[in-house]
Amino acid sequence: MIRFFLIRAFRALMTIVLVVTFAFVVLRLSGDPALTIMGPEAPPEAIRAFRAAWGLDQPIWVQYLRYFGAIARGDLGISMRDGQSAIQLVLDRIPATLELTIPALILKLVIGIPAGVYAALHRDSSTDRAVMASAVVGFTMPSFVLGLVLVLIFSVTLGLLPSGGQDSWMHAILPIITMSIGGAGILARFARSAMIEVLGQPYIRTASAKGTAWRNVVWGHALPNAAIPIVTIAGFMVGTLIAGAVVVESLFSWPGVGRLLVVAVSNRDLAVVQCILLLVAATMVFSNFVVDILYGYLDPRLRSNQARH
């Protein structure tokens, strides 16, 4: 188990390094922050001074080494736009993002998994078809389209809920629903497929033939064995909590990390963008790492296979 843990930890670290490196190179090659922040009308001397002050006049490999050296010291840079610490700007926005993403994740799990399990237990019924049709509509509809539809219905037409801002708990309802529906549909599909596959296994038929109550068969045999694919997609959703908030926060004018990322990209504020991308990458890698560890406990065969390799 120790070797399994160390291998997964090394892979997680290398993934973060690769993601950060890719983001660093793409950001440097996609445009000049000096022209965006100073403006094309700024004197050439001012632009050159700006580049020198932020190290943008150095070769990209020098900037790269300096960036990773700063990360090793715990320095994630300073915002080119307002001179504040990039990590502090991000940390100030995280609570607002969590106000949306945590309830949205809970709703995904509470709605999606039971709906998928119920559909599997009533396979080919009208209920099954209705649940799956709703799931398909939910996860195929883009979040910005769903958000606009909800605003049109509940804000413009009915006037029941505000269309944006963060003034009260009611302002969070539409963004949370927008972020929940697609994920709930995906979970429902995965849970249904996993349960149908498990329910067709010989040990399920054997347990039923022995006279075990159907409820005990479902809870004691089917659900635990169907957990791995469900844990996989749930872990992916945890990893994309911040990344998934970008569109919704922008749509509903919610002052979170996702909206900050959009503003920072448009302003070419490299330190803030890199800090957010590092946070997103670390969150996704950590959630996948936890899922890998859970795999080892849910299915001991994975541990033994990893040990042999």
Side-chain angles (χ1 to χ4, degrees):
M1 188 63 188
I2 295 178
R3 183 180 178 184
F4 177 83
F5 179 87
L6 292 176
I7 291 175
R8 298 300 185 185
F10 176 76
R11 289 179 179 176
L13 178 61
M14 292 306 299
T15 301
I16 291 178
V17 171
L18 291 174
V19 169
V20 172
T21 300
F22 177 78
F24 181 91
V25 173
V26 170
L27 286 172
R28 294 307 188 282
L29 297 180
S30 59
D32 188 355
L35 293 176
T36 303
I37 294 176
M38 300 290 292
E41 297 83 10
E45 297 80 8
I47 293 179
R48 285 196 295 269
F50 182 92
R51 290 172 179 158
W54 292 99
L56 300 176
D57 57 341
Q58 299 294 321
I60 190 170
W61 65 269
V62 174
Q63 298 181 45
Y64 178 77
L65 292 178
R66 288 181 175 178
Y67 175 61
F68 265 90
I71 290 179
R73 299 191 303 270
D75 180 10
L76 297 182
I78 303 297
S79 169
M80 294 180 180
R81 175 63 61 172
D82 52 23
Q84 297 185 46
S85 169
I87 185 61
Q88 190 58 51
L89 287 173
V90 175
L91 291 176
D92 290 342
R93 299 293 189 100
I94 286 180
T97 296
L98 294 180
E99 288 178 11
L100 297 183
T101 55
I102 297 300
L105 177 63
I106 294 173
L107 274 180
K108 293 175 187 178
L109 298 173
V110 169
I111 296 174
I113 295 176
V117 171
Y118 187 84
L121 296 176
H122 299 79
R123 186 179 182 183
D124 296 330
S125 66
S126 57
T127 301
D128 177 25
R129 290 189 288 270
V131 170
M132 287 301 99
S134 302
V136 170
V137 172
F139 71 74
T140 56
M141 182 178 294
S143 57
F144 69 90
V145 174
L146 177 60
L148 290 175
V149 171
L150 293 177
V151 168
L152 180 63
I153 295 174
F154 293 100
S155 298
V156 178
T157 303
L158 300 178
L160 298 176
L161 296 171
S163 60
Q166 195 194 13
D167 297 332
S168 68
W169 63 270
M170 294 185 66
H171 289 77
I173 294 178
L174 291 183
I176 290 173
I177 294 175
T178 302
M179 297 177 67
S180 303
I181 291 180
I186 294 173
L187 277 171
R189 295 275 295 181
F190 270 80
R192 178 183 181 274
S193 299
M195 281 295 294
I196 288 177
E197 182 178 354
V198 170
L199 290 173
Q201 298 299 316
Y203 60 84
I204 297 294
R205 293 193 295 268
T206 301
S208 300
K210 289 181 178 179
T212 306
W214 181 242
R215 177 176 297 181
N216 294 334
V217 171
V218 172
W219 287 96
H221 298 277
L223 278 177
N225 287 282
I228 287 183
I230 298 175
V231 167
T232 301
I233 192 63
F236 175 78
M237 289 179 178
V238 171
T240 57
L241 285 179
I242 296 176
V246 173
V247 174
V248 174
E249 288 184 358
S250 300
L251 177 63
F252 290 97
S253 300
W254 190 267
V257 177
R259 190 179 179 195
L260 176 63
L261 176 61
V262 174
V263 174
V265 169
S266 63
N267 291 334
R268 306 292 303 150
D269 200 343
L270 299 184
V272 177
V273 176
Q274 290 168 174
C275 185
I276 296 175
L277 293 180
L278 178 61
L279 175 63
V280 171
T283 303
M284 296 184 68
V285 169
F286 178 75
S287 64
N288 289 331
F289 176 72
V290 172
V291 168
D292 285 340
I293 299 303
L294 289 176
Y295 281 176
Y297 286 103
L298 292 172
D299 191 347
R301 294 173 297 178
L302 297 176
R303 295 200 301 268
S304 60
N305 290 338
Q306 188 68 50
R308 285 195 296 268
H309 292 84

